[in-house]
Amino acid sequence: MTERTKIGFLDSGAGGITVLARAVKKLPSADFLYYADTDRVPYGTKTPEEVVRYTSEAVRFLEDEGAQAVVVACNTATSMAIRPLRAAFPFPIVGMEPAVKPAALGHPEGRILVCATPLTISGEKLHTLIDRYFWGPVSPVLVPLPDLVTLAESERFDEESFRGVIRSAGLEGERFAAVVLGCTHFVYYRELFRDAFPGADVIDGNEGTVNRLADLICVREVPGSGSVRFFESGRIPADEDRYRRFLERAMKL
Ligand code: DGL
């Protein structure tokens, strides 16, 4: 790519900022546009048709803002909409994949937890992935944690609130060899997952997605000014500081 490279990111809200932060570290001179669909978060409890419509609107907006590639930094949106998005837009669109493969290959005998939104858990994409990597008698434990999305959106990152979600989901005291964080909002709680499930390998798909993005745009040193601009459901955010706080937190993960 020549000239300034603009890379668009989208998520239902602030979860995808955990992926954006990795991309900022890997491609520090690119220009990033981040679209949070904050008016309509969460996606994980919407219908597949709604998620396809919302994400198409978001990608159209990013295209109009000059994005030359788009990262769907949301497992739910990837699961429901990646195919129609790729069919509708002429530029590269990178999605998320729950880290089922490294969990299965790294812990062939172990008990594995996959947590995500209700829509990702019920979606065909996750089940196809599980069928590919779990062919023995053991299958992963699948648990939807929609309340963790709400918690992250309200910037509640304390242990007590997190433990409340884990308890309500019936996961307290359970033991796992690996925990797959199948929702980008959950990545903010990575350390708390480690504390709640001692010894478990806590894995997310963020690095894989950013590596795919970097491979796709071919060069590591993309031209640009290293900027990040935030948008909220198609407009300039009323409170931009809120997104900067998420980015600051995500940069430390
Ligand atoms: N961050 C999203 C994901 O990775 C979606 C959360 C939601 O809106 O329900 O699945």
Side-chain angles (χ1 to χ4, degrees):
M1 279 181 187
T2 54
E3 302 177 353
R4 297 161 70 87
T5 302
K6 278 193 192 169
I7 303 167
F9 275 69
L10 73 90
D11 181 39
S12 58
I17 297 175
T18 62
V19 192
L20 171 70
R22 264 195 182 269
V24 168
K25 286 181 194 166
K26 198 170 179 89
L27 305 164
S29 59
D31 288 319
F32 295 99
L33 310 169
Y34 186 91
Y35 185 108
D37 201 2
T38 309
D39 289 358
R40 301 188 280 207
V41 67
Y43 282 177
T45 50
K46 302 285 191 302
T47 65
E49 293 75 21
E50 283 171 319
V51 174
V52 171
R53 182 154 53 84
Y54 299 161
T55 49
S56 303
E57 286 172 21
V59 178
R60 178 81 58 216
F61 178 90
L62 292 165
E63 182 184 39
D64 290 346
E65 288 294 322
Q68 292 143 291
V70 166
V71 177
V72 179
C74 173
N75 292 86
T76 311
T78 302
S79 168
M80 298 298 132
I82 200 84
R83 276 193 222 128
L85 291 177
R86 285 186 177 141
F89 293 93
F91 43 77
I93 299 188
V94 183
M96 301 295 305
E97 183 169 287
V100 166
K101 179 181 174 183
L105 299 183
H107 306 275
E109 308 287 320
R111 190 166 180 242
I112 292 169
L113 169 67
V114 178
C115 50
T117 67
L119 212 52
T120 301
I121 296 276
S122 62
E124 189 195 324
K125 215 165 186 302
L126 178 63
H127 292 275
T128 306
L129 201 58
I130 288 171
D131 290 347
R132 191 178 312 149
Y133 295 105
F134 289 84
W135 52 84
V138 195
S139 34
V141 177
L142 306 182
V143 178
L145 295 177
D147 292 346
L148 213 48
V149 175
T150 316
L151 219 56
E153 285 295 319
S154 46
E155 295 181 79
R156 283 160 63 198
F157 297 107
D158 62 286
E159 178 159 10
E160 206 184 317
S161 306
F162 172 80
R163 290 274 179 169
V165 173
I166 295 299
R167 203 176 310 121
S168 320
L171 289 171
E172 199 169 50
E174 294 287 320
R175 306 288 293 191
F176 297 101
V179 175
V180 174
L181 306 183
C183 168
T184 53
H185 280 81
F186 300 174
V187 179
Y188 290 112
Y189 300 93
R190 192 165 49 201
E191 285 310 313
L192 293 176
F193 272 101
R194 286 197 177 115
D195 294 346
F197 303 107
D201 191 7
V202 178
I203 322 174
D204 62 68
N206 288 9
E207 191 181 351
T209 294
V210 171
N211 287 342
R212 274 200 299 284
L213 171 69
D215 288 346
L216 208 70
I217 61 173
C218 296
V219 276
R220 294 289 184 274
E221 274 305 307
V222 290
S225 58
S227 66
V228 179
R229 283 166 65 208
F230 288 100
F231 299 96
E232 190 174 71
S233 302
R235 51 178 197 275
I236 305 289
D239 177 11
E240 162 132 6
D241 285 353
R242 175 174 183 270
Y243 297 98
R244 300 269 160 211
R245 282 198 300 278
F246 277 109
L247 182 57
E248 204 179 309
R249 179 175 291 276
M251 290 299 278
K252 292 185 201 139
L253 290 170

PDB file of all heavy atoms in Angstrom, residues 25-60:
ATOM      1  N   LYS A  25       0.460  -1.222  18.557  1.00  0.00           N
ATOM      2  CA  LYS A  25       1.825  -1.628  18.938  1.00  0.00           C
ATOM      3  C   LYS A  25       2.567  -2.223  17.742  1.00  0.00           C
ATOM      4  O   LYS A  25       3.758  -1.998  17.573  1.00  0.00           O
ATOM      5  CB  LYS A  25       1.773  -2.654  20.064  1.00  0.00           C
ATOM      6  CG  LYS A  25       1.401  -2.039  21.400  1.00  0.00           C
ATOM      7  CD  LYS A  25       1.380  -3.099  22.483  1.00  0.00           C
ATOM      8  CE  LYS A  25       0.678  -2.581  23.722  1.00  0.00           C
ATOM      9  NZ  LYS A  25       0.331  -3.626  24.667  1.00  0.00           N
ATOM     10  N   LYS A  26       1.856  -2.992  16.930  1.00  0.00           N
ATOM     11  CA  LYS A  26       2.528  -3.674  15.819  1.00  0.00           C
ATOM     12  C   LYS A  26       2.742  -2.766  14.609  1.00  0.00           C
ATOM     13  O   LYS A  26       3.716  -2.918  13.896  1.00  0.00           O
ATOM     14  CB  LYS A  26       1.693  -4.895  15.398  1.00  0.00           C
ATOM     15  CG  LYS A  26       2.480  -5.877  14.580  1.00  0.00           C
ATOM     16  CD  LYS A  26       1.726  -7.168  14.381  1.00  0.00           C
ATOM     17  CE  LYS A  26       2.533  -8.114  13.534  1.00  0.00           C
ATOM     18  NZ  LYS A  26       3.430  -8.977  14.259  1.00  0.00           N
ATOM     19  N   LEU A  27       1.811  -1.849  14.394  1.00  0.00           N
ATOM     20  CA  LEU A  27       1.867  -0.964  13.209  1.00  0.00           C
ATOM     21  C   LEU A  27       1.798   0.492  13.682  1.00  0.00           C
ATOM     22  O   LEU A  27       0.805   1.192  13.432  1.00  0.00           O
ATOM     23  CB  LEU A  27       0.684  -1.272  12.276  1.00  0.00           C
ATOM     24  CG  LEU A  27       0.526  -2.728  11.822  1.00  0.00           C
ATOM     25  CD1 LEU A  27      -0.852  -2.990  11.238  1.00  0.00           C
ATOM     26  CD2 LEU A  27       1.601  -3.083  10.807  1.00  0.00           C
ATOM     27  N   PRO A  28       2.814   0.946  14.391  1.00  0.00           N
ATOM     28  CA  PRO A  28       2.705   2.233  15.087  1.00  0.00           C
ATOM     29  C   PRO A  28       2.549   3.454  14.193  1.00  0.00           C
ATOM     30  O   PRO A  28       2.139   4.503  14.681  1.00  0.00           O
ATOM     31  CB  PRO A  28       4.003   2.311  15.906  1.00  0.00           C
ATOM     32  CG  PRO A  28       4.930   1.343  15.277  1.00  0.00           C
ATOM     33  CD  PRO A  28       4.106   0.295  14.596  1.00  0.00           C
ATOM     34  N   SER A  29       2.845   3.306  12.908  1.00  0.00           N
ATOM     35  CA  SER A  29       2.705   4.508  12.083  1.00  0.00           C
ATOM     36  C   SER A  29       1.463   4.508  11.198  1.00  0.00           C
ATOM     37  O   SER A  29       1.293   5.390  10.358  1.00  0.00           O
ATOM     38  CB  SER A  29       3.959   4.700  11.230  1.00  0.00           C
ATOM     39  OG  SER A  29       4.141   3.569  10.419  1.00  0.00           O
ATOM     40  N   ALA A  30       0.576   3.538  11.385  1.00  0.00           N
ATOM     41  CA  ALA A  30      -0.670   3.533  10.605  1.00  0.00           C
ATOM     42  C   ALA A  30      -1.662   4.517  11.217  1.00  0.00           C
ATOM     43  O   ALA A  30      -1.537   4.912  12.377  1.00  0.00           O
ATOM     44  CB  ALA A  30      -1.268   2.131  10.595  1.00  0.00           C
ATOM     45  N   ASP A  31      -2.653   4.905  10.424  1.00  0.00           N
ATOM     46  CA  ASP A  31      -3.751   5.736  10.934  1.00  0.00           C
ATOM     47  C   ASP A  31      -4.946   4.817  11.188  1.00  0.00           C
ATOM     48  O   ASP A  31      -5.386   4.109  10.280  1.00  0.00           O
ATOM     49  CB  ASP A  31      -4.148   6.793   9.897  1.00  0.00           C
ATOM     50  CG  ASP A  31      -3.084   7.867   9.778  1.00  0.00           C
ATOM     51  OD1 ASP A  31      -2.544   8.275  10.817  1.00  0.00           O
ATOM     52  OD2 ASP A  31      -2.795   8.282   8.641  1.00  0.00           O
ATOM     53  N   PHE A  32      -5.448   4.843  12.414  1.00  0.00           N
ATOM     54  CA  PHE A  32      -6.544   3.943  12.779  1.00  0.00           C
ATOM     55  C   PHE A  32      -7.850   4.704  12.966  1.00  0.00           C
ATOM     56  O   PHE A  32      -7.860   5.801  13.541  1.00  0.00           O
ATOM     57  CB  PHE A  32      -6.205   3.193  14.067  1.00  0.00           C
ATOM     58  CG  PHE A  32      -5.039   2.264  13.930  1.00  0.00           C
ATOM     59  CD1 PHE A  32      -3.771   2.644  14.355  1.00  0.00           C
ATOM     60  CD2 PHE A  32      -5.208   1.010  13.359  1.00  0.00           C
ATOM     61  CE1 PHE A  32      -2.684   1.786  14.208  1.00  0.00           C
ATOM     62  CE2 PHE A  32      -4.124   0.147  13.207  1.00  0.00           C
ATOM     63  CZ  PHE A  32      -2.862   0.533  13.637  1.00  0.00           C
ATOM     64  N   LEU A  33      -8.919   4.097  12.478  1.00  0.00           N
ATOM     65  CA  LEU A  33     -10.266   4.625  12.699  1.00  0.00           C
ATOM     66  C   LEU A  33     -11.005   3.562  13.510  1.00  0.00           C
ATOM     67  O   LEU A  33     -10.995   2.392  13.111  1.00  0.00           O
ATOM     68  CB  LEU A  33     -10.998   4.806  11.365  1.00  0.00           C
ATOM     69  CG  LEU A  33     -10.260   5.555  10.253  1.00  0.00           C
ATOM     70  CD1 LEU A  33     -11.014   5.402   8.932  1.00  0.00           C
ATOM     71  CD2 LEU A  33     -10.141   7.026  10.630  1.00  0.00           C
ATOM     72  N   TYR A  34     -11.600   3.929  14.618  1.00  0.00           N
ATOM     73  CA  TYR A  34     -12.291   2.935  15.447  1.00  0.00           C
ATOM     74  C   TYR A  34     -13.767   3.299  15.559  1.00  0.00           C
ATOM     75  O   TYR A  34     -14.112   4.387  16.021  1.00  0.00           O
ATOM     76  CB  TYR A  34     -11.670   2.865  16.851  1.00  0.00           C
ATOM     77  CG  TYR A  34     -12.273   1.750  17.673  1.00  0.00           C
ATOM     78  CD1 TYR A  34     -11.712   0.476  17.660  1.00  0.00           C
ATOM     79  CD2 TYR A  34     -13.417   1.956  18.438  1.00  0.00           C
ATOM     80  CE1 TYR A  34     -12.284  -0.566  18.387  1.00  0.00           C
ATOM     81  CE2 TYR A  34     -13.998   0.915  19.156  1.00  0.00           C
ATOM     82  CZ  TYR A  34     -13.419  -0.335  19.135  1.00  0.00           C
ATOM     83  OH  TYR A  34     -13.975  -1.361  19.850  1.00  0.00           O
ATOM     84  N   TYR A  35     -14.615   2.358  15.151  1.00  0.00           N
ATOM     85  CA  TYR A  35     -16.072   2.565  15.179  1.00  0.00           C
ATOM     86  C   TYR A  35     -16.665   1.715  16.298  1.00  0.00           C
ATOM     87  O   TYR A  35     -16.639   0.487  16.233  1.00  0.00           O
ATOM     88  CB  TYR A  35     -16.644   2.147  13.829  1.00  0.00           C
ATOM     89  CG  TYR A  35     -18.118   2.389  13.611  1.00  0.00           C
ATOM     90  CD1 TYR A  35     -18.550   3.389  12.742  1.00  0.00           C
ATOM     91  CD2 TYR A  35     -19.088   1.612  14.237  1.00  0.00           C
ATOM     92  CE1 TYR A  35     -19.900   3.604  12.505  1.00  0.00           C
ATOM     93  CE2 TYR A  35     -20.442   1.824  14.015  1.00  0.00           C
ATOM     94  CZ  TYR A  35     -20.839   2.819  13.145  1.00  0.00           C
ATOM     95  OH  TYR A  35     -22.180   3.027  12.916  1.00  0.00           O
ATOM     96  N   ALA A  36     -17.164   2.369  17.333  1.00  0.00           N
ATOM     97  CA  ALA A  36     -17.867   1.669  18.417  1.00  0.00           C
ATOM     98  C   ALA A  36     -19.359   1.894  18.207  1.00  0.00           C
ATOM     99  O   ALA A  36     -19.800   3.043  18.146  1.00  0.00           O
ATOM    100  CB  ALA A  36     -17.445   2.250  19.766  1.00  0.00           C
ATOM    101  N   ASP A  37     -20.124   0.811  18.088  1.00  0.00           N
ATOM    102  CA  ASP A  37     -21.574   0.969  17.869  1.00  0.00           C
ATOM    103  C   ASP A  37     -22.285   1.070  19.219  1.00  0.00           C
ATOM    104  O   ASP A  37     -23.207   0.302  19.525  1.00  0.00           O
ATOM    105  CB  ASP A  37     -22.095  -0.211  17.031  1.00  0.00           C
ATOM    106  CG  ASP A  37     -23.412   0.113  16.353  1.00  0.00           C
ATOM    107  OD1 ASP A  37     -23.899   1.255  16.503  1.00  0.00           O
ATOM    108  OD2 ASP A  37     -23.969  -0.775  15.685  1.00  0.00           O
ATOM    109  N   THR A  38     -21.857   2.039  19.983  1.00  0.00           N
ATOM    110  CA  THR A  38     -22.276   2.172  21.380  1.00  0.00           C
ATOM    111  C   THR A  38     -23.799   2.322  21.536  1.00  0.00           C
ATOM    112  O   THR A  38     -24.356   1.877  22.537  1.00  0.00           O
ATOM    113  CB  THR A  38     -21.528   3.371  22.003  1.00  0.00           C
ATOM    114  OG1 THR A  38     -20.140   3.188  21.722  1.00  0.00           O
ATOM    115  CG2 THR A  38     -21.711   3.463  23.494  1.00  0.00           C
ATOM    116  N   ASP A  39     -24.465   2.898  20.529  1.00  0.00           N
ATOM    117  CA  ASP A  39     -25.933   3.038  20.615  1.00  0.00           C
ATOM    118  C   ASP A  39     -26.612   1.670  20.648  1.00  0.00           C
ATOM    119  O   ASP A  39     -27.736   1.552  21.134  1.00  0.00           O
ATOM    120  CB  ASP A  39     -26.484   3.771  19.375  1.00  0.00           C
ATOM    121  CG  ASP A  39     -26.117   5.247  19.368  1.00  0.00           C
ATOM    122  OD1 ASP A  39     -25.482   5.703  20.334  1.00  0.00           O
ATOM    123  OD2 ASP A  39     -26.473   5.931  18.380  1.00  0.00           O
ATOM    124  N   ARG A  40     -25.930   0.656  20.068  1.00  0.00           N
ATOM    125  CA  ARG A  40     -26.617  -0.621  19.885  1.00  0.00           C
ATOM    126  C   ARG A  40     -25.934  -1.786  20.597  1.00  0.00           C
ATOM    127  O   ARG A  40     -26.313  -2.937  20.415  1.00  0.00           O
ATOM    128  CB  ARG A  40     -26.766  -0.904  18.399  1.00  0.00           C
ATOM    129  CG  ARG A  40     -27.569   0.246  17.751  1.00  0.00           C
ATOM    130  CD  ARG A  40     -27.941  -0.018  16.357  1.00  0.00           C
ATOM    131  NE  ARG A  40     -26.870   0.226  15.415  1.00  0.00           N
ATOM    132  CZ  ARG A  40     -27.067   0.563  14.143  1.00  0.00           C
ATOM    133  NH1 ARG A  40     -28.288   0.688  13.677  1.00  0.00           N
ATOM    134  NH2 ARG A  40     -26.057   0.758  13.345  1.00  0.00           N
ATOM    135  N   VAL A  41     -24.891  -1.483  21.414  1.00  0.00           N
ATOM    136  CA  VAL A  41     -24.234  -2.543  22.181  1.00  0.00           C
ATOM    137  C   VAL A  41     -25.244  -3.073  23.221  1.00  0.00           C
ATOM    138  O   VAL A  41     -26.020  -2.265  23.749  1.00  0.00           O
ATOM    139  CB  VAL A  41     -22.957  -1.975  22.884  1.00  0.00           C
ATOM    140  CG1 VAL A  41     -23.260  -0.955  23.967  1.00  0.00           C
ATOM    141  CG2 VAL A  41     -22.052  -3.082  23.397  1.00  0.00           C
ATOM    142  N   PRO A  42     -25.340  -4.372  23.494  1.00  0.00           N
ATOM    143  CA  PRO A  42     -24.513  -5.455  22.986  1.00  0.00           C
ATOM    144  C   PRO A  42     -25.066  -6.066  21.697  1.00  0.00           C
ATOM    145  O   PRO A  42     -26.261  -6.019  21.463  1.00  0.00           O
ATOM    146  CB  PRO A  42     -24.589  -6.478  24.122  1.00  0.00           C
ATOM    147  CG  PRO A  42     -25.976  -6.310  24.678  1.00  0.00           C
ATOM    148  CD  PRO A  42     -26.286  -4.836  24.539  1.00  0.00           C
ATOM    149  N   TYR A  43     -24.162  -6.643  20.906  1.00  0.00           N
ATOM    150  CA  TYR A  43     -24.567  -7.399  19.718  1.00  0.00           C
ATOM    151  C   TYR A  43     -24.933  -8.843  20.096  1.00  0.00           C
ATOM    152  O   TYR A  43     -25.684  -9.499  19.399  1.00  0.00           O
ATOM    153  CB  TYR A  43     -23.420  -7.471  18.701  1.00  0.00           C
ATOM    154  CG  TYR A  43     -23.194  -6.223  17.860  1.00  0.00           C
ATOM    155  CD1 TYR A  43     -22.118  -6.192  16.961  1.00  0.00           C
ATOM    156  CD2 TYR A  43     -24.033  -5.118  17.921  1.00  0.00           C
ATOM    157  CE1 TYR A  43     -21.887  -5.080  16.157  1.00  0.00           C
ATOM    158  CE2 TYR A  43     -23.796  -3.996  17.126  1.00  0.00           C
ATOM    159  CZ  TYR A  43     -22.732  -3.979  16.240  1.00  0.00           C
ATOM    160  OH  TYR A  43     -22.496  -2.890  15.439  1.00  0.00           O
ATOM    161  N   GLY A  44     -24.343  -9.320  21.178  1.00  0.00           N
ATOM    162  CA  GLY A  44     -24.426 -10.746  21.525  1.00  0.00           C
ATOM    163  C   GLY A  44     -25.815 -11.238  21.859  1.00  0.00           C
ATOM    164  O   GLY A  44     -26.053 -12.438  21.947  1.00  0.00           O
ATOM    165  N   THR A  45     -26.764 -10.314  22.048  1.00  0.00           N
ATOM    166  CA  THR A  45     -28.131 -10.732  22.352  1.00  0.00           C
ATOM    167  C   THR A  45     -29.101 -10.280  21.251  1.00  0.00           C
ATOM    168  O   THR A  45     -30.306 -10.356  21.416  1.00  0.00           O
ATOM    169  CB  THR A  45     -28.579 -10.145  23.716  1.00  0.00           C
ATOM    170  OG1 THR A  45     -28.307  -8.730  23.712  1.00  0.00           O
ATOM    171  CG2 THR A  45     -27.816 -10.762  24.877  1.00  0.00           C
ATOM    172  N   LYS A  46     -28.535  -9.800  20.120  1.00  0.00           N
ATOM    173  CA  LYS A  46     -29.376  -9.377  18.988  1.00  0.00           C
ATOM    174  C   LYS A  46     -29.603 -10.571  18.048  1.00  0.00           C
ATOM    175  O   LYS A  46     -29.038 -11.642  18.251  1.00  0.00           O
ATOM    176  CB  LYS A  46     -28.676  -8.245  18.213  1.00  0.00           C
ATOM    177  CG  LYS A  46     -28.344  -7.013  19.035  1.00  0.00           C
ATOM    178  CD  LYS A  46     -29.571  -6.172  19.333  1.00  0.00           C
ATOM    179  CE  LYS A  46     -29.266  -4.804  19.930  1.00  0.00           C
ATOM    180  NZ  LYS A  46     -28.508  -4.769  21.173  1.00  0.00           N
ATOM    181  N   THR A  47     -30.396 -10.353  16.996  1.00  0.00           N
ATOM    182  CA  THR A  47     -30.579 -11.423  16.014  1.00  0.00           C
ATOM    183  C   THR A  47     -29.417 -11.363  15.006  1.00  0.00           C
ATOM    184  O   THR A  47     -28.816 -10.287  14.818  1.00  0.00           O
ATOM    185  CB  THR A  47     -31.891 -11.248  15.216  1.00  0.00           C
ATOM    186  OG1 THR A  47     -31.791 -10.046  14.436  1.00  0.00           O
ATOM    187  CG2 THR A  47     -33.100 -11.182  16.128  1.00  0.00           C
ATOM    188  N   PRO A  48     -29.125 -12.482  14.325  1.00  0.00           N
ATOM    189  CA  PRO A  48     -28.061 -12.454  13.304  1.00  0.00           C
ATOM    190  C   PRO A  48     -28.331 -11.381  12.249  1.00  0.00           C
ATOM    191  O   PRO A  48     -27.409 -10.682  11.823  1.00  0.00           O
ATOM    192  CB  PRO A  48     -28.121 -13.859  12.703  1.00  0.00           C
ATOM    193  CG  PRO A  48     -28.700 -14.714  13.780  1.00  0.00           C
ATOM    194  CD  PRO A  48     -29.645 -13.840  14.543  1.00  0.00           C
ATOM    195  N   GLU A  49     -29.588 -11.211  11.850  1.00  0.00           N
ATOM    196  CA  GLU A  49     -29.924 -10.216  10.804  1.00  0.00           C
ATOM    197  C   GLU A  49     -29.578  -8.803  11.283  1.00  0.00           C
ATOM    198  O   GLU A  49     -29.069  -7.984  10.520  1.00  0.00           O
ATOM    199  CB  GLU A  49     -31.423 -10.286  10.445  1.00  0.00           C
ATOM    200  CG  GLU A  49     -31.840 -11.571   9.756  1.00  0.00           C
ATOM    201  CD  GLU A  49     -31.921 -12.773  10.709  1.00  0.00           C
ATOM    202  OE1 GLU A  49     -32.048 -12.572  11.956  1.00  0.00           O
ATOM    203  OE2 GLU A  49     -31.818 -13.917  10.228  1.00  0.00           O
ATOM    204  N   GLU A  50     -29.872  -8.517  12.542  1.00  0.00           N
ATOM    205  CA  GLU A  50     -29.553  -7.183  13.071  1.00  0.00           C
ATOM    206  C   GLU A  50     -28.049  -6.947  13.055  1.00  0.00           C
ATOM    207  O   GLU A  50     -27.581  -5.873  12.660  1.00  0.00           O
ATOM    208  CB  GLU A  50     -30.081  -7.039  14.509  1.00  0.00           C
ATOM    209  CG  GLU A  50     -31.576  -6.811  14.574  1.00  0.00           C
ATOM    210  CD  GLU A  50     -32.128  -6.888  15.994  1.00  0.00           C
ATOM    211  OE1 GLU A  50     -31.709  -7.782  16.775  1.00  0.00           O
ATOM    212  OE2 GLU A  50     -32.993  -6.071  16.332  1.00  0.00           O
ATOM    213  N   VAL A  51     -27.291  -7.971  13.449  1.00  0.00           N
ATOM    214  CA  VAL A  51     -25.832  -7.807  13.497  1.00  0.00           C
ATOM    215  C   VAL A  51     -25.272  -7.589  12.087  1.00  0.00           C
ATOM    216  O   VAL A  51     -24.398  -6.744  11.891  1.00  0.00           O
ATOM    217  CB  VAL A  51     -25.158  -9.014  14.214  1.00  0.00           C
ATOM    218  CG1 VAL A  51     -23.648  -8.925  14.144  1.00  0.00           C
ATOM    219  CG2 VAL A  51     -25.612  -9.083  15.673  1.00  0.00           C
ATOM    220  N   VAL A  52     -25.813  -8.287  11.100  1.00  0.00           N
ATOM    221  CA  VAL A  52     -25.354  -8.080   9.714  1.00  0.00           C
ATOM    222  C   VAL A  52     -25.660  -6.642   9.291  1.00  0.00           C
ATOM    223  O   VAL A  52     -24.811  -5.948   8.722  1.00  0.00           O
ATOM    224  CB  VAL A  52     -26.021  -9.092   8.737  1.00  0.00           C
ATOM    225  CG1 VAL A  52     -25.707  -8.733   7.289  1.00  0.00           C
ATOM    226  CG2 VAL A  52     -25.559 -10.514   9.044  1.00  0.00           C
ATOM    227  N   ARG A  53     -26.835  -6.154   9.621  1.00  0.00           N
ATOM    228  CA  ARG A  53     -27.221  -4.786   9.212  1.00  0.00           C
ATOM    229  C   ARG A  53     -26.334  -3.749   9.913  1.00  0.00           C
ATOM    230  O   ARG A  53     -25.780  -2.852   9.278  1.00  0.00           O
ATOM    231  CB  ARG A  53     -28.706  -4.558   9.552  1.00  0.00           C
ATOM    232  CG  ARG A  53     -29.228  -3.193   9.133  1.00  0.00           C
ATOM    233  CD  ARG A  53     -30.728  -3.241   8.884  1.00  0.00           C
ATOM    234  NE  ARG A  53     -31.465  -3.808  10.015  1.00  0.00           N
ATOM    235  CZ  ARG A  53     -31.849  -3.099  11.080  1.00  0.00           C
ATOM    236  NH1 ARG A  53     -31.565  -1.829  11.171  1.00  0.00           N
ATOM    237  NH2 ARG A  53     -32.529  -3.686  12.061  1.00  0.00           N
ATOM    238  N   TYR A  54     -26.157  -3.899  11.209  1.00  0.00           N
ATOM    239  CA  TYR A  54     -25.367  -2.912  11.969  1.00  0.00           C
ATOM    240  C   TYR A  54     -23.915  -2.863  11.481  1.00  0.00           C
ATOM    241  O   TYR A  54     -23.332  -1.798  11.310  1.00  0.00           O
ATOM    242  CB  TYR A  54     -25.358  -3.237  13.467  1.00  0.00           C
ATOM    243  CG  TYR A  54     -26.712  -3.239  14.137  1.00  0.00           C
ATOM    244  CD1 TYR A  54     -26.895  -3.899  15.363  1.00  0.00           C
ATOM    245  CD2 TYR A  54     -27.811  -2.590  13.566  1.00  0.00           C
ATOM    246  CE1 TYR A  54     -28.124  -3.898  15.993  1.00  0.00           C
ATOM    247  CE2 TYR A  54     -29.053  -2.601  14.192  1.00  0.00           C
ATOM    248  CZ  TYR A  54     -29.195  -3.265  15.403  1.00  0.00           C
ATOM    249  OH  TYR A  54     -30.420  -3.274  16.027  1.00  0.00           O
ATOM    250  N   THR A  55     -23.349  -4.063  11.254  1.00  0.00           N
ATOM    251  CA  THR A  55     -21.931  -4.082  10.876  1.00  0.00           C
ATOM    252  C   THR A  55     -21.741  -3.587   9.439  1.00  0.00           C
ATOM    253  O   THR A  55     -20.732  -2.958   9.136  1.00  0.00           O
ATOM    254  CB  THR A  55     -21.309  -5.488  11.052  1.00  0.00           C
ATOM    255  OG1 THR A  55     -22.157  -6.435  10.436  1.00  0.00           O
ATOM    256  CG2 THR A  55     -21.143  -5.852  12.494  1.00  0.00           C
ATOM    257  N   SER A  56     -22.733  -3.833   8.574  1.00  0.00           N
ATOM    258  CA  SER A  56     -22.633  -3.302   7.201  1.00  0.00           C
ATOM    259  C   SER A  56     -22.630  -1.783   7.258  1.00  0.00           C
ATOM    260  O   SER A  56     -21.866  -1.127   6.542  1.00  0.00           O
ATOM    261  CB  SER A  56     -23.801  -3.769   6.328  1.00  0.00           C
ATOM    262  OG  SER A  56     -23.841  -5.164   6.311  1.00  0.00           O
ATOM    263  N   GLU A  57     -23.467  -1.218   8.098  1.00  0.00           N
ATOM    264  CA  GLU A  57     -23.495   0.249   8.248  1.00  0.00           C
ATOM    265  C   GLU A  57     -22.142   0.766   8.749  1.00  0.00           C
ATOM    266  O   GLU A  57     -21.628   1.778   8.283  1.00  0.00           O
ATOM    267  CB  GLU A  57     -24.589   0.669   9.239  1.00  0.00           C
ATOM    268  CG  GLU A  57     -25.982   0.555   8.648  1.00  0.00           C
ATOM    269  CD  GLU A  57     -27.084   0.791   9.680  1.00  0.00           C
ATOM    270  OE1 GLU A  57     -26.818   1.417  10.734  1.00  0.00           O
ATOM    271  OE2 GLU A  57     -28.207   0.332   9.428  1.00  0.00           O
ATOM    272  N   ALA A  58     -21.570   0.033   9.690  1.00  0.00           N
ATOM    273  CA  ALA A  58     -20.284   0.455  10.261  1.00  0.00           C
ATOM    274  C   ALA A  58     -19.173   0.401   9.205  1.00  0.00           C
ATOM    275  O   ALA A  58     -18.374   1.336   9.085  1.00  0.00           O
ATOM    276  CB  ALA A  58     -19.926  -0.435  11.453  1.00  0.00           C
ATOM    277  N   VAL A  59     -19.144  -0.690   8.420  1.00  0.00           N
ATOM    278  CA  VAL A  59     -18.092  -0.805   7.398  1.00  0.00           C
ATOM    279  C   VAL A  59     -18.283   0.262   6.327  1.00  0.00           C
ATOM    280  O   VAL A  59     -17.321   0.873   5.868  1.00  0.00           O
ATOM    281  CB  VAL A  59     -18.037  -2.232   6.788  1.00  0.00           C
ATOM    282  CG1 VAL A  59     -16.982  -2.305   5.694  1.00  0.00           C
ATOM    283  CG2 VAL A  59     -17.734  -3.264   7.866  1.00  0.00           C
ATOM    284  N   ARG A  60     -19.534   0.532   5.957  1.00  0.00           N
ATOM    285  CA  ARG A  60     -19.810   1.593   4.970  1.00  0.00           C
ATOM    286  C   ARG A  60     -19.271   2.928   5.490  1.00  0.00           C
ATOM    287  O   ARG A  60     -18.628   3.690   4.773  1.00  0.00           O
ATOM    288  CB  ARG A  60     -21.334   1.671   4.731  1.00  0.00           C
ATOM    289  CG  ARG A  60     -21.778   2.745   3.779  1.00  0.00           C
ATOM    290  CD  ARG A  60     -21.631   2.358   2.311  1.00  0.00           C
ATOM    291  NE  ARG A  60     -22.374   1.148   1.967  1.00  0.00           N
ATOM    292  CZ  ARG A  60     -21.963   0.224   1.101  1.00  0.00           C
ATOM    293  NH1 ARG A  60     -20.804   0.359   0.495  1.00  0.00           N
ATOM    294  NH2 ARG A  60     -22.692  -0.838   0.842  1.00  0.00           N
TER     295      ARG A  60
END
